[in-house]
Amino acid sequence: MFSSKEEFKKIFVTRMEHKGMGKTAELAYETLWEMTQEWIQDRWYRTSQLYKDNNEKQLYYFSIEFLIGRVLGQNLINLNFYDIVKEGLDELGLQLSEIEELETEPGLGNGGLGRLAACFVDSLASLGLPGNGYGLRYKGGLFTQHFVNGYQTEQPTQWIQEKHNVDVRREDLVVEVPYYGEVQLVMGMDGLKVKVEKPEWVKAVPYDMPVVGANGGTVNTLRLWQAEVSDRPFPGHKDYAVYEHETAKITDRLYPDDSLEAGKILRLKQQYFLCSASLQTILNEGSFSIEELPENVAIQINDTHPALAVPELMRLLIDDYALSWDQAWDITTRTISYTNHTILEEAMEKWDRRLIQTLLPRIYMVIEEIDRRFKESLQEQELDDEALHKLSIIENGVIKMAVLAVVGSYKVNGVAKLHTEILKKREMKELSEQFPNKFHNKTNGIAHRRWLLKANHELSGLITDTIGPQWIKEPERLSELHYFSQNHSFLQDFQAIKSLKKEQLIHHLQRNQNVIVDQDSIFDIHIKRFHGYKRQLMNILHIQMLYDRIKRDPTYRPYPRTFFFGGKAAPSYHFAKQVIKMINTVAAKVNNDPLARKHLHVVFVENYNVTQAEYMIPAADVSEQISTASKEASGTGNMKLMMNGALTIGTFDGANVEIFEQVGEENAFVFGMLAEQVMQHEKEKSYNPKSIIDSDPEIAQLMEELIKGEWTEGKTNVDFIVEQLLEDGDPYFVLKDIRSYSKAHEQILNAYAHPEKWAEMCVKNIAASGYFSSDRTIQQYSDDVWHLTKIPSLY
Ligand code: 8GP
């Protein structure tokens, strides 16, 4: 332990000396890593003891993804050591930022849902709440993206560093997960019992990672399961080598899709593995009687991927704890709650009945019984076919996981107000009518400790100097910045920091991608997964329009803008990959045109991940949040960018609606159709993109150029995009919204022409962003759903 820079230096240098020769940065990384781990161990142990001694109710957050990002720097921040260490290293001629670069990011998630889980565990620990994450220890995280000839290619990513692992293997807590087997009724001491004969066992080995809360006060656990071959007798129904191979695959890699349900046996195996291993451990570890489970444990399932927790808990309670169906159901439905993250039809999980029946025969029986009883309970009501369809768990040979999750939970939530309304009034209307008290909203949030304190240490420093440090604990106090939004010297300081963060991003990109960006240009940033509804296509089409305008109109010479893109497409998502290729092609054309380049620069940042985000977000002037209204459940990038003083150009979608509410529409650039209008068009099939082309010459010209192949090397790439816009009826309303999008961009240029006024708007955004801290979200979950008790801080 140390309390001063000098003390840190002394310990650090002694340890370095012990290690002997070697590359300095790498040695320094190793040393720092060991030092932080040692500080954490003691706190980690004491936290778990405290929970045990006080018999605290525990929350378990089940998630198939935890996109935690790099760990070292965040731990230093949360332990309050970052400044001391940074300054100490500076004096020793070492740069903390360079040392941090040596850590491979654990990319155990695809995007929003996985990152949300990571922010949530941070907030739980920071609020001193007994809440732990349960997930999977994929050997390979999300793929690394490279561009080859403008196309995305994918390479496997290995994040596990044998030397200084971020997690601890817990051999003592191993459990076994059963697959396959035959369900049989056997006579036991107390009557007939169900038994699964000759299952194929897979060993589940937990790896624990400490989750360090703010000020190092509480250290909770993120437990990730790894699949290994079992020591139990092998039933011999298949070749052992096949079994070994199949077992290793369970946690071999993360499914790289964030918007398509996979329907594959391996994915089902992963989901069950997570649920069964986690539930067995929770029940084994608990020091309470099983009837009191709901008073001692809350389980939150992050989307439907862990929805098998419902039948699995039923199985364990009935088969292993000998409870009756009614007792087990009462306990299950008072323990589990569910968060929905999407209404996209193609992302709603539906499992083939036979697949579950074969892989998990006992689980299938339980699901069938849940469905039967639920349908029976509906019999008194006069429900039409449509309602019965929406309310059935098993139908036409498929199991609908969302319905199972709602029926088996005591609370169900959407992730932003609009999204929850759409769930209640449309997507899950019938379910919400059956269970009116279950549905509630919990607008997402972000860990401000990572996204402001760590990613933008300079801005955090300015904020602390201006309003004091309380905002770090109570982020809503960022609102005090409002008083400084017209303070000239504060605004100047803000502008200087924005400029510095742009410079840091420029250096980073120069080093990694060999591109040079104009620091004085407007940094317009569009970062997220690639998907039709997120409309990266609209952004790039608009850039093409701007290019045409510059070439056509000698009086149109707009202020220089750099349009940044960052994001990955699911390897199987052909359309999204074509958009990536198109952006790279347009970038090459625009960037190589001497006239256009003075005004426009397009930069596609390769391999967007948490680390890249930490560079990009603080440097942004403009935040692109342009999804088709009704499609984006919430979005969280929108919150991170706002908190770093970027102005949003956005639709009334997801949490944008609440961002505009908090900051005022006059401090953002709002455009486009409303969710209701989109849904109306979809219902009535009344939108025809050709009518837009006929009435807008600029859009017509653009489409003509696209068709002629002027924006591609060879037409094939763009053909697919043109086909979606014209023949497929432009399902994401790109052409419908592009005119108002373009107008909003004109407003941005006008506003940017007044730097002080612009800075004032930025500061108002930061001041209004405290609401979007995940501390607020987690406190609301705790108050309304989990009912946890805060433990007093240990330090
Ligand atoms: C995302 C939503 O698309 C996004 O709007 C929201 O902010 C975020 O979840 C957190 O709530 N959904 C996913 O990332 C998602 O469904 N991913 C699953 C396939 C993993």
Side-chain angles (χ1 to χ4, degrees), residues 4 139 375 572-573 642 675:
S4 72
K139 221 191 216 163
K375 282 186 177 134
S572 62
Y573 192 174
M642 173 201 202

Side-chain angles (χ1 to χ4, degrees), residues 758-769:
W758 178 275
E760 177 188 330
M761 290 165 77
C762 297
V763 171
K764 285 184 175 159
N765 269 268
I766 303 169
S769 70

Side-chain angles (χ1 to χ4, degrees), residues 64-65 110-114 116 255 257-260 267 302-303 305 339-342 344 347 415 444 529 533-534 631-639 654:
I64 203 92
E65 304 188 356
N110 275 284
L113 168 142
L116 186 79
Y255 265 86
D257 212 309
D258 74 331
S259 53
L260 206 66
R267 176 74 159 184
N302 198 22
D303 217 277
H305 320 121
T339 304
N340 172 287
H341 294 267
T342 184
L344 292 186
V415 288
N444 281 166
R529 282 297 285 250
Y533 82 82
K534 296 186 188 273
K631 306 283 180 208
E632 187 71 89
S634 160
T636 44
N638 46 4
M639 302 169 185

Side-chain angles (χ1 to χ4, degrees), residues 219-502:
V219 181
N220 287 339
T221 303
L222 172 56
R223 179 164 291 168
L224 303 179
W225 295 101
Q226 176 169 294
E228 295 180 10
V229 291
S230 168
D231 306 323
R232 295 199 187 188
F234 182 60
H237 59 297
K238 63 166 76 136
D239 194 2
Y240 191 75
V242 173
Y243 160 71
E244 270 182 323
H245 175 73
E246 286 176 357
T247 300
K249 277 181 80 172
I250 296 177
T251 47
D252 187 53
R253 70 179 187 103
L254 165 81
Y255 265 86
D257 212 309
D258 74 331
S259 53
L260 206 66
E261 56 97 7
K264 299 267 176 12
I265 192 158
L266 180 58
R267 176 74 159 184
L268 187 61
K269 274 190 179 172
Q270 290 185 337
Q271 299 187 349
Y272 184 65
F273 190 67
L274 166 64
C275 295
S276 180
S278 309
L279 285 169
Q280 288 185 51
T281 310
I282 293 168
L283 299 186
N284 291 346
E285 277 189 354
S287 56
F288 42 82
S289 84
I290 198 70
E291 287 78 16
E292 288 167 1
L293 185 73
E295 286 74 34
N296 289 280
V297 165
I299 292 171
Q300 186 72 33
I301 57 174
N302 198 22
D303 217 277
T304 54
H305 320 121
L308 288 175
V310 173
E312 175 64 0
L313 183 54
M314 289 294 288
R315 177 185 81 88
L316 293 168
L317 294 176
I318 296 170
D319 297 355
D320 291 2
Y321 287 82
L323 298 188
S324 72
W325 179 279
D326 289 337
Q327 279 174 312
W329 186 244
D330 174 61
I331 291 174
T332 300
T333 52
R334 288 192 296 124
T335 303
I336 296 178
S337 47
Y338 153 60
T339 304
N340 172 287
H341 294 267
T342 184
I343 54 159
L344 292 186
E345 185 52 33
E346 65 270 30
M348 291 296 203
E349 290 197 296
K350 293 179 195 76
W351 285 107
D352 186 274
R353 179 178 61 82
R354 280 161 312 180
L355 202 63
I356 299 203
Q357 215 167 6
T358 313
L359 185 70
L360 309 166
R362 174 67 177 134
I363 290 298
Y364 180 73
M365 281 175 75
V366 175
I367 299 175
E368 225 177 14
E369 185 61 12
I370 296 174
D371 186 46
R372 193 191 66 75
R373 287 180 183 236
F374 180 48
K375 282 186 177 134
E376 198 177 71
S377 76
L378 298 172
Q379 265 170 9
E380 307 277 276
Q381 303 170 36
E382 281 177 22
L383 296 166
D384 59 19
D385 288 351
E386 173 67 8
L388 286 173
H389 156 68
K390 293 273 192 163
L391 293 169
S392 59
I393 297 172
I394 307 180
E395 193 184 40
N396 300 328
V398 294
I399 299 173
K400 295 185 273 176
M401 300 308 273
V403 186
L404 176 64
V406 173
V407 175
S409 297
Y410 66 100
K411 288 279 177 190
V412 176
N413 74 288
V415 288
K417 272 193 215 162
L418 175 68
H419 170 61
T420 304
E421 279 310 296
I422 294 175
L423 280 183
K424 288 205 295 202
K425 303 237 167 80
R426 258 188 34 153
E427 297 303 314
M428 297 190 173
K429 179 168 168 283
E430 293 74 11
L431 282 162
S432 135
E433 282 165 3
Q434 290 301 324
F435 307 106
N437 298 326
K438 268 193 195 182
F439 284 75
H440 66 109
N441 176 56
K442 289 287 163 286
T443 298
N444 281 166
I446 55 166
H448 64 282
R449 282 164 295 275
R450 180 172 285 263
W451 297 108
L452 185 51
L453 210 55
K454 172 166 188 301
N456 203 340
H457 210 55
E458 298 84 348
L459 180 58
S460 305
L462 173 65
I463 296 173
T464 299
D465 289 347
T466 311
I467 59 171
Q470 293 83 356
W471 69 273
I472 299 172
K473 215 165 179 298
E474 299 162 54
E476 299 205 24
R477 291 181 77 157
L478 283 170
S479 61
E480 289 165 28
L481 285 176
H482 208 85
Y483 302 112
F484 297 87
S485 63
Q486 289 180 350
N487 176 311
H488 180 67
S489 109
F490 180 77
L491 293 177
Q492 275 193 328
D493 289 343
F494 168 75
Q495 285 162 322
I497 287 169
K498 186 59 84 183
S499 193
L500 176 71
K501 297 311 277 185
K502 286 181 170 184

Side-chain angles (χ1 to χ4, degrees), residues 583-640:
I583 293 172
N584 280 322
T585 309
V586 172
K589 179 163 172 168
V590 170
N591 300 348
N592 288 319
D593 183 297
L595 172 63
R597 178 65 184 78
K598 285 189 194 147
H599 307 277
L600 303 175
H601 189 191
V602 181
V603 175
F604 202 143
V605 175
E606 218 173 31
N607 197 37
Y608 177 69
N609 57 13
V610 176
T611 307
Q612 305 269 34
E614 286 171 19
Y615 279 103
M616 295 176 84
I617 289 170
D621 295 308
V622 177
S623 158
E624 296 271 352
Q625 307 302 334
I626 62 177
S627 52
T628 313
S630 78
K631 306 283 180 208
E632 187 71 89
S634 160
T636 44
N638 46 4
M639 302 169 185
K640 296 164 196 164

